[in-house]
Amino acid sequence: IAGSPAGTKIGSFEVKEADDFAYTDPIDGSVAKGQGLRFVFTDGSRIIFRLSGTGSSGATIRMYIEQYSNDPSQYDMDAQEALAPIIKVALELSQMEKLTGREKPTVIT
């Protein structure tokens, strides 16, 4: 799924790019590959999935959601409500509940 071509529709979102992203350190130029799966949509929204933790067990799956809005009426909304459409897409993409057996996150920040 990380190789979804530009133009792919996922829910109401259109993929601009999707990849297994790498991080380049701005100080020393070192590159850390395999940092997670990233979906960038044409409206500027992003979904990122990455593992956090060390070792082979007990890793945490982190899901990052970002969505741009120029609608001031959304600025004071509860984040879960405002981001509900893209959260739904992220959960469908990842099959999180099916793969982990969890119906909801253990931490929301």
Side-chain angles (χ1 to χ4, degrees):
I1 62 176
S4 298
T8 300
K9 293 285 274 183
I10 303 175
S12 62
F13 297 89
E14 183 178 334
V15 174
K16 178 179 177 185
E17 63 181 308
D19 61 4
D20 184 352
F21 73 94
Y23 173 76
T24 303
D25 187 289
I27 304 299
D28 67 11
S30 62
V31 177
K33 295 183 178 182
Q35 292 299 299
L37 301 178
R38 174 176 56 186
F39 297 85
V40 180
F41 299 97
T42 55
D43 69 352
S45 300
R46 296 192 314 165
I47 300 171
I48 297 173
F49 301 101
R50 62 187 312 257
L51 290 178
S52 175
T54 58
S56 59
S57 66
T60 298
I61 301 170
R62 296 190 183 270
M63 180 172 74
Y64 300 91
I65 304 289
E66 296 178 351
Q67 185 171 6
Y68 172 78
S69 174
N70 62 358
D71 179 357
S73 70
Q74 292 185 328
Y75 298 169
D76 291 327
M77 290 177 68
D78 176 78
Q80 299 299 306
E81 182 182 340
L83 297 171
I86 196 167
I87 290 171
K88 180 179 180 191
V89 165
L91 292 173
E92 289 172 0
L93 261 175
S94 66
Q95 300 179 30
M96 193 82 69
E97 185 176 343
K98 177 182 174 185
L99 296 173
T100 66
R102 294 184 185 267
E103 294 180 13
K104 60 183 180 178
T106 54
V107 177
I108 299 175
T109 58

